[in-house]
Amino acid sequence: SNKEKYLEYSRKWRKSDIDRYRKLSLKQTSLRRARKLQATFKEMSEWHQFILDEIYDLAYIRSQITGIKWHVDHVVPLKSKLVCGLHHPNNLQVIPATENLRKGNKLKI
């Protein structure tokens, strides 16, 4: 209910305990990278790898051209309470960052 108060508290905490914040952030990044690696086909063809690279390039190019940040989103999240998706071209889409952050870790149908 007090969003501004909470955000201010969070900013102060990050500044006061920057080492702990960095460790937590690094841990979350590591866990996400491991989850993504586990959700990737071990024997993905060169074609699928090429498509993956193109999807990430598209997000970068759109960000550069439009000035709006674009993300590569997993349509079916890599980890969720209902279902776990794969890191595969068929499960990826390029969407504006605001939409991806709003979606969170939810399956949007």
Side-chain angles (χ1 to χ4, degrees), residues 44-54 88-90:
M44 192 178 298
S45 69
E46 287 181 31
W47 174 250
H48 285 109
Q49 188 58 52
F50 171 76
I51 299 296
L52 276 176
D53 294 341
E54 289 292 305
H88 188 273
N90 294 341

Side-chain angles (χ1 to χ4, degrees), residues 7-108:
L7 289 174
E8 183 60 32
Y9 172 80
S10 294
R11 283 187 210 106
K12 286 181 182 177
W13 177 80
R14 276 193 302 258
K15 288 180 182 179
S16 68
D17 202 352
I18 192 72
D19 289 335
R20 183 165 181 233
Y21 172 73
R22 286 183 181 147
K23 286 178 188 174
L24 288 173
S25 181
L26 182 61
K27 183 178 179 182
Q28 289 172 344
T29 303
S30 298
L31 289 173
R32 174 142 175 87
R33 192 175 354 175
R35 208 171 22 245
K36 192 166 142 183
L37 188 61
Q38 288 175 337
T40 303
F41 286 118
K42 300 293 182 241
E43 297 182 23
M44 192 178 298
S45 69
E46 287 181 31
W47 174 250
H48 285 109
Q49 188 58 52
F50 171 76
I51 299 296
L52 276 176
D53 294 341
E54 289 292 305
I55 291 170
Y56 281 93
D57 288 345
L58 176 63
Y60 176 77
I61 291 168
R62 283 186 181 178
S63 296
Q64 295 298 310
I65 290 173
T66 64
I68 299 169
K69 184 78 174 160
W70 290 74
H71 283 179
V72 176
D73 172 54
H74 290 89
V75 178
V76 178
L78 294 179
K79 184 176 181 183
S80 116
K81 292 179 182 177
L82 297 176
V83 65
C84 296
L86 295 172
H87 184 66
H88 188 273
N90 294 341
N91 190 34
L92 298 176
Q93 62 183 349
V94 178
I95 61 175
T98 54
E99 291 298 314
N100 192 31
L101 296 172
R102 184 178 304 137
K103 176 184 166 201
N105 194 32
K106 295 179 184 81
L107 179 62
K108 190 174 184 179

